[in-house]
Amino acid sequence: MITKVQKGHADEVKRKRIMRIKEAINFEIGTKEEPKIHLIGMANNSKVYFKKPGKEYFRENKRNVNDMTPNVGDLYNRYSFGDIWKDMLNLSVRISNDSYKQLNVLLYRLAYLIDCEEIDGKIRYNPTGEVNAIIKNIQKEIDSKKYNFKVLEFLNFIDILSWNEDVKYQADCTFEKPKVGRINTILSLISIPLIFKEFVDLVIEKKDYLHELDYSLLIDVAQNFSRTRGVQPMSNKKLIEYLKPYLSE
């Protein structure tokens, strides 16, 4: 599964994002006590769905009328970005480096809806062929380590989580800043664990010479977080460096 980095905002990516944004904005809205459930699809035996409205709808300040709550079965209740990073880092020490790279490239493909197809007039995540085989192989490896993590369910959750980010921040579909929303969200989910993994690897490498340890990786993360409010996607060049040969120029 060799994937080329995406440059600019391709018309096909824009078309898929617009179709999804318009679909979700038109979802019927319920109440705080009884939000409307909108079924998106299935991931193995788990329902992939939104509840509308989401919690940001009820904020007194910075209310977001389009916010929804994404979930897959009941796997991701109260599941934060921090939880995603923890799971990714836990996986990084349980599966092979190749499998970990492939998982990140699957996420990268999600950012640009590469494995999302138009089905009955709707854009849906639909990994097939080699991509589906890779998902199953990673799952088999995770299961062999007896770690409780469902790859297909996770990918479907990230798909609708980032869909919701588009609905919140790109509702007018003008894409003046095209990476805001879906793309920056997923690229940040990839980037932060990779940076921390690199630092851990560096600590292990320098364990007998800790005075030589360079903390700039973590300091840069902290500085960028303070400036960007939690969004920190790597450049294409840096992502290729981490994820080659599965992500390429």
Side-chain angles (χ1 to χ4, degrees):
M1 180 189 63
I2 307 302
T3 300
K4 292 187 178 295
V5 292
Q6 304 293 299
K7 298 177 181 179
H9 193 215
D11 289 343
E12 180 65 2
V13 176
K14 184 177 180 180
R15 182 186 74 85
K16 290 177 178 178
R17 293 175 81 184
I18 289 172
M19 285 183 66
R20 282 190 142 190
I21 290 166
K22 289 183 176 179
E23 178 187 356
I25 286 175
N26 287 325
F27 284 160
E28 186 179 355
I29 190 169
T31 64
K32 188 173 185 178
E33 293 74 23
E34 294 186 17
K36 289 290 183 181
I37 295 176
H38 297 276
L39 181 66
I40 303 304
M42 298 291 294
N44 293 321
N45 295 318
S46 296
K47 292 180 179 179
V48 181
Y49 62 92
F50 286 115
K51 288 182 179 179
K52 188 173 182 178
K55 61 183 180 181
E56 292 185 18
Y57 179 89
F58 301 100
R59 287 180 178 173
E60 292 184 10
N61 298 319
K62 295 185 178 179
R63 182 187 185 198
N64 197 313
V65 297
N66 295 314
D67 184 44
M68 304 176 291
T69 302
N71 213 332
V72 177
D74 58 359
L75 296 174
Y76 297 103
N77 291 309
R78 299 184 179 276
Y79 192 70
S80 68
F81 284 94
D83 293 317
I84 296 171
W85 293 330
K86 287 176 188 176
D87 269 339
M88 291 298 291
L89 284 167
N90 283 335
L91 285 170
S92 75
V93 296
R94 286 174 168 82
I95 59 177
S96 68
N97 196 40
D98 265 10
S99 292
Y100 190 65
K101 287 181 179 182
Q102 288 177 329
L103 178 59
N104 277 286
V105 173
L106 289 168
L107 289 170
Y108 184 87
R109 293 170 68 91
L110 261 184
Y112 293 94
L113 299 113
I114 294 172
D115 299 310
C116 295
E117 299 179 355
E118 186 170 343
I119 301 172
D120 297 328
K122 298 176 180 178
I123 303 298
R124 293 293 183 263
Y125 184 53
N126 188 38
T128 58
E130 181 188 9
V131 173
N132 193 44
I134 287 169
I135 291 171
K136 290 180 178 179
N137 286 339
I138 296 172
Q139 185 66 63
K140 185 177 180 180
E141 188 175 349
I142 291 170
D143 291 344
S144 73
K145 305 296 183 180
K146 302 188 184 304
Y147 186 60
N148 184 22
F149 184 89
K150 304 300 181 185
V151 179
L152 184 62
E153 288 85 339
F154 175 72
L155 291 169
N156 273 273
F157 175 72
I158 298 302
D159 176 46
I160 62 171
L161 171 72
S162 56
W163 179 355
N164 190 49
E165 294 299 300
D166 262 0
V167 172
K168 290 194 295 183
Y169 300 114
Q170 299 282 11
D172 60 4
C173 295
T174 59
F175 299 105
E176 292 180 8
K177 295 180 179 179
K179 286 192 173 182
V180 168
R182 179 184 191 87
I183 295 174
N184 271 346
T185 295
I186 297 182
L187 294 187
S188 296
L189 292 178
I190 295 169
S191 300
I192 299 304
L194 286 175
I195 292 169
F196 276 81
K197 181 179 183 301
E198 182 182 358
F199 184 74
V200 170
D201 290 344
L202 185 62
V203 170
I204 294 170
E205 178 187 338
K206 299 284 188 181
K207 62 183 176 64
D208 295 324
Y209 307 95
L210 290 179
H211 62 281
E212 296 179 2
L213 199 58
D214 182 359
Y215 291 91
S216 60
L217 276 172
L218 298 186
I219 292 169
D220 289 345
V221 169
Q223 286 181 326
N224 287 333
F225 266 132
S226 66
R227 186 175 68 252
T228 62
R229 298 181 179 180
V231 176
Q232 192 178 356
M234 286 182 186
S235 66
N236 281 337
K237 181 179 179 181
K238 195 69 176 174
L239 283 169
I240 290 172
E241 182 183 321
Y242 277 102
L243 301 177
K244 62 185 179 184
Y246 302 106
L247 188 66
S248 67
E249 187 65 45

